[in-house]
Amino acid sequence: MSATRYTYLGPAGTFTEAALRTLPEAATRELVPLASVPAALDAVRAGEASGAFVPVENSVEGAVTATSDELAAGKPLMIYREVLLPIAFALLVRPGTTLDDIKTVTSHPVAQPQVRRWIAANLPDARWESAASNADGARLVQEGRFDGAFAGEFAAPLYGLEPLVSDIHDAENATTRFVLVGRPGRVSSPTGADKTSMVVWLRDDHPGALLELLQEFAVRGVNLMRIESRPTGEGIGNYCFLIDCEGHLSERRVSDALMGLKRICPQVRFLGSYPRADEGKPTPRRPGTSDEDFSAAADWLSRCLDGRGEL
């Protein structure tokens, strides 16, 4: 395995690359752009890179389904870091282009909902077509196949383009979440502000099946941060659930919840425990859910088994 190589969703000039370069270790790695999320992750599975950096969700459009499906299927991978990047687009054009010249625009499909209202107000007659990535859209403009591309302004010099309009976003505070993924290994030490991710499959479809799954978290005071359903490909109505919860696997409430899921679900895939990127304060713990509470309950049970009861 190349311990000095990270792959990421390319080509060069994507928001993914911009987010990756915020990680201190990126300065000491060879950063290799690949054409798709599956390609970036498969390079890690094959041992060609030690990490892959990919988008996982956007605050406007929701989950990046290519990443969700890859994490749920294939050889297991683990998340080791996450990065949150505020997103604003620039309309990149060839030098000399004006708004009146723009008849066709392109970008990644996830970008369209974030600029849809701006296009309707400023380029109502422009035809939209999707590109493999925002940076790939810039490349297509460079080649003359489109008149404009919505991408990060930092991509303009890479493709000989100019930002005709900057800071375009329909939603204020639009943010994309990215994750650094590697092969399964030892989880990092808890920081006190952590997140744990997993994929869970239901045993069968029956009334209350999802409620039973959620109760494993609720009764232990574990706060869910995200739950996303994805089809398993095994027919209509068959879903798995990608879940992010507060806390670290080393915490008793979290590990106990995962053991509970393992008892009632046919498959649970642990995706890692890692520091939260938002630096937010964890939800206050309910009484009875701290590690000390779990230890005290276990000690009490042990005394009961020994015949010492409440002594």
Side-chain angles (χ1 to χ4, degrees), residues 6 19-29 31 81 83 180:
Y6 283 170
L20 172 56
R21 291 188 180 279
T22 68
L23 295 178
E25 60 266 36
T28 62
R29 301 293 194 275
L31 307 183
R81 296 282 297 276
V83 172
L180 178 64

Side-chain angles (χ1 to χ4, degrees), residues 237-278:
N238 290 294
Y239 291 89
C240 62
F241 297 87
L242 289 90
I243 297 172
D244 295 336
C245 71
E246 283 187 345
H248 193 277
L249 185 64
S250 63
E251 296 178 48
R252 289 288 298 274
R253 61 188 182 127
V254 176
S255 60
D256 209 54
L258 264 67
M259 286 192 292
L261 292 173
K262 187 63 177 174
R263 289 196 302 270
I264 66 172
C265 299
Q267 185 179 357
V268 178
R269 174 171 285 190
F270 173 64
L271 294 180
S273 290
Y274 46 93
R276 289 173 54 175
D278 59 6

Side-chain angles (χ1 to χ4, degrees), residues 79-161:
I79 299 171
Y80 289 91
R81 296 282 297 276
E82 69 172 4
V83 172
L84 300 179
L85 185 73
I87 302 295
F89 294 89
L91 178 58
L92 305 186
V93 299
R94 293 182 294 277
T97 303
T98 68
L99 276 180
D100 291 337
D101 298 326
I102 297 178
K103 308 302 179 185
T104 57
V105 293
T106 186
S107 192
H108 190 276
V110 172
Q112 187 180 21
Q114 302 179 62
V115 299
R116 185 184 293 124
R117 290 199 296 271
W118 189 93
I119 293 174
N122 297 275
L123 296 169
D125 299 322
R127 176 172 57 86
W128 169 285
E129 287 190 26
S130 295
S133 68
N134 300 321
D136 192 56
R139 179 184 62 80
L140 295 174
V141 172
Q142 180 189 43
E143 295 175 354
R145 296 169 60 182
F146 292 91
D147 300 321
F150 292 94
E153 187 168 343
F154 47 79
L158 294 175
Y159 297 95
L161 304 179

Side-chain angles (χ1 to χ4, degrees), residues 9 16 36-38 41 54-72 108-111 114 132 175-179 226 228 230 242:
L9 176 61
T16 305
S36 67
V37 168
L41 297 177
V54 293
V56 69
E57 64 173 318
N58 177 270
S59 61
V60 176
E61 184 65 1
V64 178
T65 55
T67 301
S68 299
D69 292 343
E70 279 294 314
L71 291 176
H108 190 276
V110 172
Q114 302 179 62
T175 302
T176 296
R177 176 182 169 226
F178 301 85
V179 291
R226 182 176 75 114
E228 170 202 351
R230 292 297 300 155
L242 289 90

